Structure formats: structure tokens, C-alpha cells
Amino acid sequence: FNGGTINLNGSGSYGSMLVINGATVNTLSNSANTTNFRDVVNLQVLAGTFNVQSGSAIRLGSNAGTASASVAANAAGSQSGGTMNFTNNATLQLGNAATATATTDTFALSGGVFSALNTGSTGISIGAGASGGGISSFNFSGGTLRVGGTIAGAQGAGAQQSFVWTGGTMAVGTYNATNLTSTQGTAVSGSTNTLTNAGGTLAPGDIGTGGKTIITGNYSVTSASASYAVDLGSATAATAFQSGAAFYDTTTVSGTVALGGTLNVSLINGFTPTNANTFTIITGTGGVSGNFTNVSGGKVTLTGGATFNVAVSGTTVVLSNYTASVGNTYATWISGFSVGGQTAAKDDFDNDGLSNVVENVLGSNPSVYNDGLTQVSATASSVTFRHNQSNTIATDVTKTYQWSTDLVEWKSSGQTNSGGTTATIAATTITDNVAPANDVIEVTITVTAGPATKVFGRLVATKAP
């Protein structure tokens, strides 16, 4: 379906291949509540909208113990764009939930929005034959996954059922890890299993609204690129999947929690915490270990410079002691260092050749020697260097780059010097971190015209009067 609107109504099944690339496809609510895409072996959502409504189900592969549950071919579903909406108890049923058909049934979400906000108890059911005869896996690498109900495995021990999470943002009401593994083709052991975050963002309630996620089993973060996104809309914890903007996000885990990745805290709903407010953002009944990579000195820094204390203790992760930003100016920044009264922008207390104002840009300590550049390379017509850059450069400090052929006459990108040489300057962010960690910037100066056989570059930092 490449365009237009297609409405599907009544009982029966539609298969075995469905591709949506720009159309709006609706399964309409009806009294029979039996409209299904059953025994589908190839489902692709590339663009457009797929609305799966009241009582309907997408049954990808041989599923649900129906009379037609006998698909011999492997089933593959994917979404790389567009929107899939499941409403009024509509569900995605993936794989063989009742028989031992030896097929591999997968759904790959790499882009777009997969939304199942009103799906009763189960939004996504992942099933494979209990004897281990088949494989069923939901593979999540990008886009947004919103499930107001439950993500769960349909069979118990021996079933090769998995939810593999390597990217994308997930907001889920309940994730039941009991009958799911985190590796495709691995059988459920019968013991408590783990939701493994290998590069995605867990966002209770979704970004921008207060919500609660319940994880039955363990939760483990295994990648530095993973993150936990927390919205604070008040000092009241959310009690439902989406409690609304006037609540704060929280996650409860029945097993253990192994932290990692970054903690991204946002204030919403016009809320400004007091110093006395506390926020229990994670509870792990079996214990919480590790920490977030961007927690430094027990604090996390929000965009704009405000901070929270982060306490990982026993079974909880708690934010407290909110401190508002006092103004990100050069004067405020330099006052935090012991530089023997050498606080002017041009001063260099540590004699490393980097003025205070340059160190503000680099995110380095003006009282401790720093190298400045992290890497330098050159060709016959260009020079490339790298440097760290603060994510909180003072608001009254600006930076630019200049080039020269003799270290005397300095020019900006695209200008021509008195010797007839022209050069361009291109700066690229190589590593984009979250404050307080620094970014890494790569700068390349290229001679585009003229007689020059060598070229130099420099970073210029200026403080406003």
C-alpha cells in the first residue's frame, strides 16, 4: 500500500504479505472483533500509518493456537518508519505460541513509532514452541516503542523467546522478563530472566510526561550508550504508565538492577524542585549496583547547569538536594578554582600556555597543567587537530578558529592572506557527551589556493567585556 486510505472490516484473516509505504491502513472496530492479520510471514512498515483497532490482532507467524496455526515458513516483520497504532486491546502476537513449529519468527523495529497504549494486559506477546522447536524474537534497535500494557513471553522453560534491545526509546507499562531472554535463539531457563539495555533509552511514560515502568525480573545496562530518561513534573511519583505531566518518572524492578549508561534528567510542567525534595527514580527489590557514567562526585548536571545529588544505596536510586544554576558566566566559573588571584581571562596560572578563557572552552582546570590538543595530524595541504570542549562554556565566552602560514598573520576560514593563500576551516563533533563530560571536536584546516607549503591553526577564545 503506497498511498491513500484502506479500511479493513469484518472477520477473517489477511496474509501472507503486507507492505505499507505511505498509505493509511485501518482495521475497523466491529461487533465481531475478529479482524486479524493471521499467519503473516512478511510485514513491512516503511512509511505511513497502520491503525490496528478494537479486538484486532497482528499475528506474525503461526500463532495463538488457532486452527490455522501451521505456517511452515519463517515470518519476518519490520518497521523502519511511519507509525503503528494498536488501540482498544489490539495486540501484536509474534511467533508460535502453542505448537512446536520449527520456524524463526522475528519483528525488527529500527525506526518510526510503534504505539500500543491501550492494549489491556498484553501489548506484545512473544511466543515460541515450548519444546524449543522454533525461535521468536522482537529486535529493537531504533525508533520509539510505547506499550501501555505488558511485553511478555507466551511460553515457559525451553521456549526460544527473546526481546533484543540495542537502541531506540522504550516507554512500557510492564515488562515481564520471566519468559524472555535478551539473545535471539536462547531458550528460556525457567528462572528469573533479565531485560538487558544494550544501547537504548528507558523512558517511563515516554519523553515529556510522568510515568511508571514495572519490570518483572532483572534490569541490566550493558552499554555506555544506553540511557535512563527521567522527567520531573512535581514531587509526586507516577503510579500509572502515563500519570501525566504533574508527576515524576519512576521504575520498579522485582529483581536486581545493574546501572550504566547516562542519566538524563529533565524538568517539565514548569516545575522547579526545592532543595528538600527527593525523587526515588528506581527501586530494585533485589538490590541496585553500579552507577551512571555522567554522575560525577555524586551529582548529575542538567541542561542549563542545575544539579541533583544522586544516591545509589541498597535498593533505590534517589535524586535530592536540587541546586539551581547560579548563572553560567566566566566569573562564576573561574571563582570555582584556586588560581592565586590570576582570574583574568588572559591569565595562565598553571603556565601551560592556555589562558583561563581558553580552558573554559576546553572544559579543563585552569589550576592544573593541560596539553590542550588531544591529537594532531597533517597532509601536504591540510592540518587536523582535536580538542576537548566543555558542554557548559560560559555564556559570555565565545570561540572561533584561525589559520596562518607564518604564525604572524592570522585569518578566518575562507579568507586570503597577503601571500595569496586561501584556507578553509571545518569543525566536527567527534564525541558528543552529556554534561559534565566534555565533547571532542575535530578541526581540519585545508589550503584551497595559493603557494603555501605549511599551515598552522589555533583556537581563539574571547570573553565579552
Side-chain angles (χ1 to χ4, degrees), residues 1-2 58 62 99 107 139 156 185 247 317 378-379 391 407 457:
F1 299 130
N2 294 318
I58 295 179
S62 175
T99 71
F107 187 91
N139 301 321
F247 297 84
V317 179
T379 68
N391 268 302
L407 298 177

Side-chain angles (χ1 to χ4, degrees), residues 232-259:
L232 307 179
S234 76
T236 302
T239 58
F241 166 61
Q242 290 184 330
S243 290
F247 297 84
Y248 75 81
D249 289 341
T250 186
T251 297
T252 62
V253 182
S254 67
T256 62
V257 176
L259 298 174

Side-chain angles (χ1 to χ4, degrees), residues 134 153 165 177 309 419:
W165 186 16
N309 286 358

